[in-house]
Amino acid sequence: ADEGANCVVSDRIIDDEARSVADDLATRGGNAKVAAIACDVSQADQCRALVAETVAAFGGIDVFVNNAGIGFMMKPMLEVEPADWDTVIAVNLSGAFYCTQAAARAMIERGAGGRIVNIASQAAKSGFPHLPAYVSSKHGMIGLTRATAIELGAHGITVNAVCPNHVTTGLGAEQNAYFSKLLGFANVDDYLANMAAKNPMGRPGLASDTASACAWLASDDAGYVTGEALNVSGGEEMH
């Protein structure tokens, strides 16, 4: 919105929080047009409906960001239930595929190219304990990024992934509480201080770091960049 784009906000339920985000976006940039559309990305038909409603509202899709994710199912690998595994993979990986497929079809039909950006994670490159489904889904997202970039390049569509390190969003806060206890820290503040000390830039990631990377990948400046998994980690992840 700050860059002048019209925007769609989507979540499983469009509640007061989602509407508040949409209302805020509408005041940014050049007074962007904003829609809020419900979608459970684990359901392919809802992903197709999300894209169809977006095209109907705005005439097409230029940029699609796969940002939906689940990372709060934290437990030892030996204790993970099949339902836990299936839920995480359904949202983080299958959801990205369903949305990518639907968005790409709309972009190809329009004939103007486009940008698809997948929000992966440092966990797409490195393993972490007690997150087997999450780590697997994010590694899989990099494979999805590379495979679709090869097929969609001929249509002028780039597909890239952004790999942030830890960011204390609402989901990140749950991870902070869990891992600070698991690793024996006295409190969350000590855990965060240790995390910052290990980072070359001296701090965890911010949501704005990820957003800036997405904005660049969506820009004309990144028009020849595709199939990449871009680390946005302050130097914590270099692989």
Side-chain angles (χ1 to χ4, degrees), residues 37-53 94-95 97-99 101-102 105:
I37 303 173
C39 177
D40 177 348
V41 299
S42 70
Q43 304 299 310
D45 59 338
Q46 293 194 37
C47 297
R48 292 191 294 268
L50 168 64
V51 167
E53 289 185 50
S94 297
F97 169 72
Y98 298 147
C99 287
Q101 185 181 63
R105 285 170 173 166

mmCIF file of all heavy atoms in Angstrom, residues 37-53 94-95 97-99 101-102 105:
data_model
loop_
_atom_site.group_PDB
_atom_site.id
_atom_site.type_symbol
_atom_site.label_atom_id
_atom_site.label_comp_id
_atom_site.label_asym_id
_atom_site.label_seq_id
_atom_site.Cartn_x
_atom_site.Cartn_y
_atom_site.Cartn_z
ATOM 1 N N ILE A 37 -11.011 -10.436 1.973
ATOM 2 C CA ILE A 37 -11.677 -11.625 1.446
ATOM 3 C C ILE A 37 -11.272 -12.832 2.281
ATOM 4 O O ILE A 37 -10.080 -13.105 2.454
ATOM 5 C CB ILE A 37 -11.299 -11.861 -0.028
ATOM 6 C CG1 ILE A 37 -11.643 -10.639 -0.879
ATOM 7 C CG2 ILE A 37 -11.991 -13.113 -0.564
ATOM 8 C CD1 ILE A 37 -11.141 -10.722 -2.315
ATOM 9 N N ALA A 38 -12.249 -13.572 2.770
ATOM 10 C CA ALA A 38 -11.962 -14.751 3.587
ATOM 11 C C ALA A 38 -11.460 -15.897 2.709
ATOM 12 O O ALA A 38 -11.925 -16.083 1.584
ATOM 13 C CB ALA A 38 -13.213 -15.189 4.337
ATOM 14 N N CYS A 39 -10.493 -16.663 3.246
ATOM 15 C CA CYS A 39 -9.978 -17.822 2.525
ATOM 16 C C CYS A 39 -9.229 -18.730 3.486
ATOM 17 O O CYS A 39 -8.329 -18.287 4.196
ATOM 18 C CB CYS A 39 -9.035 -17.386 1.393
ATOM 19 S SG CYS A 39 -8.289 -18.765 0.491
ATOM 20 N N ASP A 40 -9.588 -19.987 3.495
ATOM 21 C CA ASP A 40 -8.819 -21.024 4.178
ATOM 22 C C ASP A 40 -7.923 -21.644 3.123
ATOM 23 O O ASP A 40 -8.393 -22.391 2.254
ATOM 24 C CB ASP A 40 -9.766 -22.066 4.781
ATOM 25 C CG ASP A 40 -9.027 -23.217 5.460
ATOM 26 O OD1 ASP A 40 -7.797 -23.342 5.289
ATOM 27 O OD2 ASP A 40 -9.691 -24.008 6.157
ATOM 28 N N VAL A 41 -6.635 -21.340 3.161
ATOM 29 C CA VAL A 41 -5.753 -21.746 2.075
ATOM 30 C C VAL A 41 -5.550 -23.253 1.989
ATOM 31 O O VAL A 41 -5.022 -23.753 0.994
ATOM 32 C CB VAL A 41 -4.381 -21.043 2.159
ATOM 33 C CG1 VAL A 41 -4.529 -19.531 2.055
ATOM 34 C CG2 VAL A 41 -3.629 -21.445 3.414
ATOM 35 N N SER A 42 -5.947 -23.987 3.012
ATOM 36 C CA SER A 42 -5.831 -25.441 2.942
ATOM 37 C C SER A 42 -6.895 -26.058 2.036
ATOM 38 O O SER A 42 -6.859 -27.257 1.760
ATOM 39 C CB SER A 42 -5.934 -26.060 4.338
ATOM 40 O OG SER A 42 -7.242 -25.955 4.854
ATOM 41 N N GLN A 43 -7.824 -25.227 1.556
ATOM 42 C CA GLN A 43 -8.908 -25.685 0.690
ATOM 43 C C GLN A 43 -8.717 -25.091 -0.708
ATOM 44 O O GLN A 43 -8.819 -23.879 -0.893
ATOM 45 C CB GLN A 43 -10.265 -25.270 1.258
ATOM 46 C CG GLN A 43 -10.510 -25.749 2.683
ATOM 47 C CD GLN A 43 -10.479 -27.260 2.791
ATOM 48 O OE1 GLN A 43 -11.141 -27.962 2.010
ATOM 49 N NE2 GLN A 43 -9.719 -27.779 3.750
ATOM 50 N N ALA A 44 -8.453 -25.949 -1.689
ATOM 51 C CA ALA A 44 -8.141 -25.473 -3.034
ATOM 52 C C ALA A 44 -9.269 -24.631 -3.622
ATOM 53 O O ALA A 44 -9.020 -23.626 -4.299
ATOM 54 C CB ALA A 44 -7.839 -26.654 -3.943
ATOM 55 N N ASP A 45 -10.530 -25.002 -3.364
ATOM 56 C CA ASP A 45 -11.643 -24.251 -3.937
ATOM 57 C C ASP A 45 -11.706 -22.845 -3.369
ATOM 58 O O ASP A 45 -12.041 -21.889 -4.085
ATOM 59 C CB ASP A 45 -12.964 -24.989 -3.718
ATOM 60 C CG ASP A 45 -13.286 -25.240 -2.248
ATOM 61 O OD1 ASP A 45 -12.363 -25.244 -1.410
ATOM 62 O OD2 ASP A 45 -14.483 -25.445 -1.925
ATOM 63 N N GLN A 46 -11.340 -22.676 -2.087
ATOM 64 C CA GLN A 46 -11.342 -21.336 -1.506
ATOM 65 C C GLN A 46 -10.206 -20.486 -2.068
ATOM 66 O O GLN A 46 -10.350 -19.270 -2.222
ATOM 67 C CB GLN A 46 -11.254 -21.419 0.015
ATOM 68 C CG GLN A 46 -12.494 -22.022 0.668
ATOM 69 C CD GLN A 46 -12.531 -21.793 2.169
ATOM 70 O OE1 GLN A 46 -12.123 -20.744 2.669
ATOM 71 N NE2 GLN A 46 -13.040 -22.784 2.898
ATOM 72 N N CYS A 47 -9.090 -21.112 -2.393
ATOM 73 C CA CYS A 47 -7.983 -20.367 -3.014
ATOM 74 C C CYS A 47 -8.387 -19.878 -4.396
ATOM 75 O O CYS A 47 -8.097 -18.732 -4.775
ATOM 76 C CB CYS A 47 -6.742 -21.243 -3.099
ATOM 77 S SG CYS A 47 -6.097 -21.749 -1.491
ATOM 78 N N ARG A 48 -9.067 -20.739 -5.134
ATOM 79 C CA ARG A 48 -9.547 -20.320 -6.459
ATOM 80 C C ARG A 48 -10.570 -19.193 -6.337
ATOM 81 O O ARG A 48 -10.576 -18.241 -7.131
ATOM 82 C CB ARG A 48 -10.146 -21.517 -7.204
ATOM 83 C CG ARG A 48 -9.114 -22.568 -7.598
ATOM 84 C CD ARG A 48 -9.711 -23.605 -8.563
ATOM 85 N NE ARG A 48 -10.737 -24.412 -7.933
ATOM 86 C CZ ARG A 48 -10.515 -25.576 -7.335
ATOM 87 N NH1 ARG A 48 -9.269 -26.069 -7.268
ATOM 88 N NH2 ARG A 48 -11.511 -26.271 -6.809
ATOM 89 N N ALA A 49 -11.430 -19.281 -5.316
ATOM 90 C CA ALA A 49 -12.429 -18.228 -5.109
ATOM 91 C C ALA A 49 -11.776 -16.907 -4.714
ATOM 92 O O ALA A 49 -12.208 -15.838 -5.153
ATOM 93 C CB ALA A 49 -13.432 -18.670 -4.044
ATOM 94 N N LEU A 50 -10.737 -16.974 -3.888
ATOM 95 C CA LEU A 50 -10.009 -15.768 -3.499
ATOM 96 C C LEU A 50 -9.466 -15.047 -4.728
ATOM 97 O O LEU A 50 -9.605 -13.826 -4.869
ATOM 98 C CB LEU A 50 -8.864 -16.140 -2.553
ATOM 99 C CG LEU A 50 -7.820 -15.055 -2.256
ATOM 100 C CD1 LEU A 50 -8.448 -13.876 -1.524
ATOM 101 C CD2 LEU A 50 -6.659 -15.642 -1.440
ATOM 102 N N VAL A 51 -8.842 -15.808 -5.614
ATOM 103 C CA VAL A 51 -8.286 -15.212 -6.828
ATOM 104 C C VAL A 51 -9.397 -14.663 -7.715
ATOM 105 O O VAL A 51 -9.296 -13.550 -8.245
ATOM 106 C CB VAL A 51 -7.427 -16.252 -7.581
ATOM 107 C CG1 VAL A 51 -7.093 -15.764 -8.992
ATOM 108 C CG2 VAL A 51 -6.154 -16.535 -6.793
ATOM 109 N N ALA A 52 -10.484 -15.415 -7.878
ATOM 110 C CA ALA A 52 -11.588 -14.960 -8.723
ATOM 111 C C ALA A 52 -12.201 -13.668 -8.199
ATOM 112 O O ALA A 52 -12.492 -12.742 -8.977
ATOM 113 C CB ALA A 52 -12.650 -16.056 -8.820
ATOM 114 N N GLU A 53 -12.393 -13.578 -6.879
ATOM 115 C CA GLU A 53 -12.957 -12.354 -6.297
ATOM 116 C C GLU A 53 -12.006 -11.182 -6.449
ATOM 117 O O GLU A 53 -12.434 -10.043 -6.678
ATOM 118 C CB GLU A 53 -13.285 -12.579 -4.820
ATOM 119 C CG GLU A 53 -14.467 -13.504 -4.568
ATOM 120 C CD GLU A 53 -14.823 -13.600 -3.096
ATOM 121 O OE1 GLU A 53 -14.964 -12.538 -2.450
ATOM 122 O OE2 GLU A 53 -14.954 -14.730 -2.584
ATOM 123 N N SER A 94 0.685 -27.042 1.056
ATOM 124 C CA SER A 94 -0.410 -27.220 0.100
ATOM 125 C C SER A 94 -1.104 -25.896 -0.182
ATOM 126 O O SER A 94 -1.459 -25.594 -1.330
ATOM 127 C CB SER A 94 -1.413 -28.247 0.616
ATOM 128 O OG SER A 94 -0.811 -29.521 0.747
ATOM 129 N N GLY A 95 -1.293 -25.086 0.855
ATOM 130 C CA GLY A 95 -1.928 -23.785 0.663
ATOM 131 C C GLY A 95 -1.151 -22.898 -0.281
ATOM 132 O O GLY A 95 -1.725 -22.206 -1.140
ATOM 133 N N PHE A 97 0.806 -23.944 -2.650
ATOM 134 C CA PHE A 97 0.628 -24.503 -3.991
ATOM 135 C C PHE A 97 -0.723 -24.117 -4.581
ATOM 136 O O PHE A 97 -0.819 -23.668 -5.727
ATOM 137 C CB PHE A 97 0.771 -26.024 -3.968
ATOM 138 C CG PHE A 97 0.344 -26.666 -5.255
ATOM 139 C CD1 PHE A 97 1.124 -26.549 -6.398
ATOM 140 C CD2 PHE A 97 -0.852 -27.350 -5.338
ATOM 141 C CE1 PHE A 97 0.719 -27.110 -7.602
ATOM 142 C CE2 PHE A 97 -1.268 -27.921 -6.540
ATOM 143 C CZ PHE A 97 -0.477 -27.805 -7.675
ATOM 144 N N TYR A 98 -1.793 -24.298 -3.800
ATOM 145 C CA TYR A 98 -3.130 -23.992 -4.320
ATOM 146 C C TYR A 98 -3.231 -22.522 -4.736
ATOM 147 O O TYR A 98 -3.788 -22.198 -5.796
ATOM 148 C CB TYR A 98 -4.198 -24.286 -3.275
ATOM 149 C CG TYR A 98 -4.302 -25.725 -2.845
ATOM 150 C CD1 TYR A 98 -4.662 -26.052 -1.526
ATOM 151 C CD2 TYR A 98 -4.058 -26.772 -3.724
ATOM 152 C CE1 TYR A 98 -4.772 -27.366 -1.113
ATOM 153 C CE2 TYR A 98 -4.167 -28.097 -3.313
ATOM 154 C CZ TYR A 98 -4.516 -28.387 -2.003
ATOM 155 O OH TYR A 98 -4.623 -29.685 -1.581
ATOM 156 N N CYS A 99 -2.701 -21.633 -3.898
ATOM 157 C CA CYS A 99 -2.779 -20.203 -4.209
ATOM 158 C C CYS A 99 -1.890 -19.843 -5.397
ATOM 159 O O CYS A 99 -2.270 -19.034 -6.252
ATOM 160 C CB CYS A 99 -2.394 -19.377 -2.987
ATOM 161 S SG CYS A 99 -3.643 -19.354 -1.683
ATOM 162 N N GLN A 101 -1.048 -21.797 -7.878
ATOM 163 C CA GLN A 101 -1.681 -22.315 -9.087
ATOM 164 C C GLN A 101 -2.817 -21.393 -9.535
ATOM 165 O O GLN A 101 -2.923 -21.039 -10.720
ATOM 166 C CB GLN A 101 -2.209 -23.722 -8.835
ATOM 167 C CG GLN A 101 -2.780 -24.410 -10.070
ATOM 168 C CD GLN A 101 -3.315 -25.789 -9.745
ATOM 169 O OE1 GLN A 101 -4.268 -25.923 -8.966
ATOM 170 N NE2 GLN A 101 -2.709 -26.816 -10.318
ATOM 171 N N ALA A 102 -3.667 -20.995 -8.596
ATOM 172 C CA ALA A 102 -4.800 -20.142 -8.944
ATOM 173 C C ALA A 102 -4.341 -18.773 -9.422
ATOM 174 O O ALA A 102 -4.853 -18.245 -10.430
ATOM 175 C CB ALA A 102 -5.734 -20.001 -7.741
ATOM 176 N N ARG A 105 -2.684 -18.986 -12.941
ATOM 177 C CA ARG A 105 -3.675 -19.117 -14.016
ATOM 178 C C ARG A 105 -4.268 -17.763 -14.378
ATOM 179 O O ARG A 105 -4.452 -17.443 -15.563
ATOM 180 C CB ARG A 105 -4.769 -20.092 -13.587
ATOM 181 C CG ARG A 105 -4.353 -21.555 -13.618
ATOM 182 C CD ARG A 105 -5.391 -22.450 -12.964
ATOM 183 N NE ARG A 105 -5.079 -23.871 -13.125
ATOM 184 C CZ ARG A 105 -5.654 -24.844 -12.435
ATOM 185 N NH1 ARG A 105 -6.574 -24.553 -11.517
ATOM 186 N NH2 ARG A 105 -5.316 -26.101 -12.651
#
